[in-house]
């Protein structure tokens, strides 16, 4: 599902109206009807309820006028509050405002703080408020009368349904640009917009419904500009490769997980088992020699390789030759590895000389943060990095807060500049490709903020890299499934009690929700 900014949404509207000949007033009518349908789904029968529609003077206000007419037809007690002068309403919005007048639907025009003060109590004394003040065109913080109206709506204590996006948000910014409506339900039109699916503005959205108002899918997908997609189950399902009946373990790839150190053997086990639970045919866990008996005892299903180590039980620089000598399809390095000078040199060797797709996580990222220039993939080399915001901040010399406020921009810029795939972890994990494409994950929950969750993700990514030819597809499927497994674990254990092992145990269930049955062999049923 493509996420559009304000310019892209305007372009999609223009192409629909001018190139395809679908009148703009038809799109406005469709928008209003879809909002009412979403309200019925959320609140049940609307008949007899007191409804207030607060509209602006533009097309978003016009959508609100259509909603008001539909509510009147549903026998609601509806009042429209137009914020602005009636004479300033133009075009399709004017037509729909005039229809309300002919039907006798009350319309109160409020053009000043004084007028709002006189009418606000009666306007806000209702069961539901429909917010149709601003659409996607807002680019500056609201002030004056609009700021007062938004503050009073938020203080009214009744459910608010926002049309397209909560008024006060910019369609181009993940963070609120100023005062904004805190909606209970947002019905966005045509396609989701950035603040509706990304924190921190997402907290103001409430439940989100994406409404089809008649803009064709190929128009929404074909507008120029940033390619940002929101990962939903239907899309994830298309990425899962079918398993043929005569497959063998070599068909699904061999993953080498380089992980663990003294006191951090659990990271190696979680990553190794996650790779197997995600379909890898073979998994080898390469870990310091003193850790090998512990790691091997935790998992009978994966193989192990002992690595030369330092006196404190971490992998030594010289061990890179052993890892490079493992016959495998994907190498993942980092979980529980340690961050000393020996590990720094070890990771640098792996990056410089491995010909296999690489997943670089955890301690391997911290090691290389001191010299980010090494994070430039060679031509044709597949490198996936999986930082959380703190690790990403160290890689770019910034702060975790800055990364959180600019998650998409930061991940996308680093991916393009260094030729790597960036998986920026956290709520709404971002997958950024070197070619500029960005994917926002829809699964996951706060219960996954627990030690070892990232180690599981490393194994999941490595396994799907071994099975799917397109590394970007492999990464976005891995992120989706990891989050889905976390959601299933939370439904059983609760978010507070969740541990990384719970995510691991639910990977199979998450995969089953997406996988289609294998094709039967010819002649057999």
């Amino acid at each position: 599902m493509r996420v559009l900014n304000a310019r892209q949404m305007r372009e999609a509207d223009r192409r629909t109206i001018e190139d395809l000949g679908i009148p703009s007033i038809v799109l406005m009518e469709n928008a209003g009807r879809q909002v009412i349908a979403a309200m019925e789904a959320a609140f049940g029968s609307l008949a007899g309820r007191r409804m207030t529609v607060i509209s602006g003077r533009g097309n978003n206000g016009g959508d609100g006028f259509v909603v008001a007419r539909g509510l009147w037809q549903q026998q609601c007690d509806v009042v429209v509050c137009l914020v602005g002068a009636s004479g300033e309403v133009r075009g399709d919005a004017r037509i729909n405002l005039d229809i309300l007048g002919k039907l006798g639907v009350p319309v109160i025009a409020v053009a000043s703080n004084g007028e709002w003060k006189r009418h606000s109590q009666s306007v806000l004394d209702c069961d539901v408020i429909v917010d149709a003040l601003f659409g996607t065109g807002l680019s500056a913080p609201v002030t004056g009368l609009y700021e007062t109206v938004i503050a009073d709506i938020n203080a009214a204590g009744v459910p608010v349904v926002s049309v397209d996006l909560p008024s006060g948000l910019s369609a181009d910014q993940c963070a609120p640009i100023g005062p904004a409506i805190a909606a209970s339900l947002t019905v966005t039109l045509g396609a989701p917009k950035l603040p509706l699916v990304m924190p921190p503005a997402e907290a103001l959205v409430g439940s989100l419904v994406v409404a089809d108002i008649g803009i064709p899918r190929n128009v929404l997908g074909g507008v120029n500009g940033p390619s940002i997609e929101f990962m939903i189950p239907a899309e994830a399902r298309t990425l899962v490769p079918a398993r043929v009946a005569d497959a063998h373990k070599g068909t699904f790839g061999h993953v080498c997980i380089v992980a663990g150190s003294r006191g951090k053997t659990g990271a190696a086990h979680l990553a190794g088992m996650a790779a197997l639970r995600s379909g890898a045919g073979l998994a080898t866990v390469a870990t310091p020699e003193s850790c090998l008996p512990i790691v091997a005892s935790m998992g009978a299903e994966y193989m192990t390789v002992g690595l030369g180590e330092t006196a404190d039980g971490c992998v030594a620089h010289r061990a890179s030759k052993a890892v490079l000598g493992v016959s495998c399809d994907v190498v993942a390095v980092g979980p529980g590895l340690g961050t000393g000078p020996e590990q720094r040199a070890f990771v640098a060797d792996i990056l410089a000389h491995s010909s296999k797709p690489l997943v670089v996580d955890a301690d391997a990222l911290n090691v290389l943060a001191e010299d980010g220039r090494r994070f430039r993939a060679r031509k044709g080399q597949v490198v996936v990095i999986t930082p959380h915001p703190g690790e990403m901040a160290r890689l770019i010399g910034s702060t975790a807060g800055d990364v959180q406020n600019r998650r998409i921009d930061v991940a996308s810029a680093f991916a393009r500049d260094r030729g790597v795939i960036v998986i920026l972890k956290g709520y709404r994990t971002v997958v950024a490709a070197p070619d500029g494409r960005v994917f926002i994950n829809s699964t996951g929950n706060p219960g996954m903020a627990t030690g070892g969750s990232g180690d599981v993700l490393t194994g999941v990514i490595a396994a799907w890299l071994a099975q799917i030819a397109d590394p970007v597809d492999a990464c976005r499927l891995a992120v989706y499934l990891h989050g889905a497994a976390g959601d299933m674990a939370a439904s059983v254990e609760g978010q507070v009690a969740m541990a990384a092992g719970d995510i691991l145990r639910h990977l199979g269930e998450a995969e089953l929700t997406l996988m289609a049955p294998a094709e039967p062999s010819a002649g057999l049923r």
Side-chain angles (χ1 to χ4, degrees), residues 88-112:
E88 296 175 335
V89 179
R90 301 282 189 269
D92 297 334
R94 178 81 249 174
I95 293 172
N96 281 296
L97 178 59
D98 290 343
I99 292 172
L100 292 180
K102 293 172 183 177
L103 293 173
V105 176
V107 177
I108 301 170
V110 171
S112 68

Side-chain angles (χ1 to χ4, degrees), residues 17-364:
I17 296 163
E18 296 180 9
D19 298 346
L20 299 180
I22 299 176
S24 57
I25 200 164
V26 171
L27 300 180
M28 186 174 286
E29 185 72 20
N30 291 344
R33 291 179 178 274
Q34 289 281 30
V35 171
I36 291 173
M39 291 174 67
E40 287 178 315
F43 305 124
S45 174
L46 303 177
R49 299 200 186 188
R50 294 172 301 165
M51 301 287 189
T52 292
V53 179
I54 300 183
S55 291
R57 296 164 296 173
N59 284 337
N60 193 249
D63 297 335
F65 300 147
V66 177
V67 172
R69 172 161 40 90
L71 293 173
W72 178 83
Q73 290 174 315
Q74 297 250 19
Q75 299 183 325
C76 294
D77 180 7
V78 59
V79 171
V80 175
C81 179
L82 169 62
V83 183
S86 174
E88 296 175 335
V89 179
R90 301 282 189 269
D92 297 334
R94 178 81 249 174
I95 293 172
N96 281 296
L97 178 59
D98 290 343
I99 292 172
L100 292 180
K102 293 172 183 177
L103 293 173
V105 176
V107 177
I108 301 170
V110 171
S112 68
N113 274 302
E115 291 176 334
W116 171 252
K117 187 174 181 179
R118 285 196 299 274
H119 294 288
S120 60
Q121 185 172 352
S122 61
V123 164
L124 299 177
D125 182 18
C126 60
D127 297 316
V128 178
I129 296 170
V130 176
D131 156 38
L133 274 171
F134 297 106
T136 57
L138 192 67
S139 58
V142 298
T143 57
L145 173 60
Y146 293 110
E147 183 176 4
T148 301
V149 171
I150 286 174
D152 288 348
I153 291 173
N154 286 338
V158 298
V160 179
V161 178
S162 287
V163 179
D164 213 6
L165 70 167
S167 292
L169 296 182
S170 164
D172 297 327
Q173 302 290 331
C174 295
I177 59 173
I181 293 289
S184 309
L185 168 67
T186 298
V187 185
T188 196
L189 309 176
K193 288 78 184 176
L194 207 54
L196 304 182
V197 295
M198 287 295 291
E202 187 197 30
L204 300 174
V205 172
S207 300
L208 178 64
V209 172
V210 181
D212 178 2
I213 62 170
I215 302 175
R217 189 177 306 171
N218 65 324
V219 172
L220 294 169
V223 293
N224 296 322
S227 177
I228 302 174
E229 293 189 24
F230 190 56
M231 281 291 295
I232 57 175
E235 175 66 14
R237 191 170 288 112
T238 67
L239 303 177
V240 182
R243 292 203 156 199
V244 296
D246 60 348
H248 52 85
K249 59 190 176 183
T251 305
F252 307 116
H254 181 182
V255 170
C256 178
I257 307 285
V258 186
S261 59
R262 193 174 300 162
K264 295 181 179 179
T265 51
H269 167 72
L270 288 169
M273 283 306 302
L276 291 172
R277 290 290 186 190
S278 299
L282 293 167
T284 294
V285 178
T287 194
E289 289 174 347
S290 63
C291 300
L292 189 148
I294 300 172
V295 174
S297 69
M298 287 192 284
E301 296 90 346
Y302 50 68
M303 299 174 285
T304 53
V305 170
L307 301 176
E309 62 186 296
T310 59
D312 59 352
C314 295
V315 65
H317 177 196
R318 66 182 184 276
S320 62
K321 293 181 179 178
V323 172
L324 293 169
V326 175
S327 177
C328 62
D329 300 294
V330 176
V331 175
V333 57
L337 201 66
T339 57
E342 288 277 317
Q343 292 79 59
R344 184 180 303 116
F346 170 86
V347 172
D349 272 3
I350 300 298
L351 276 174
H353 301 296
S354 177
S355 60
K356 308 297 182 184
L358 295 173
V359 183
V360 183
D361 180 38
D363 285 343

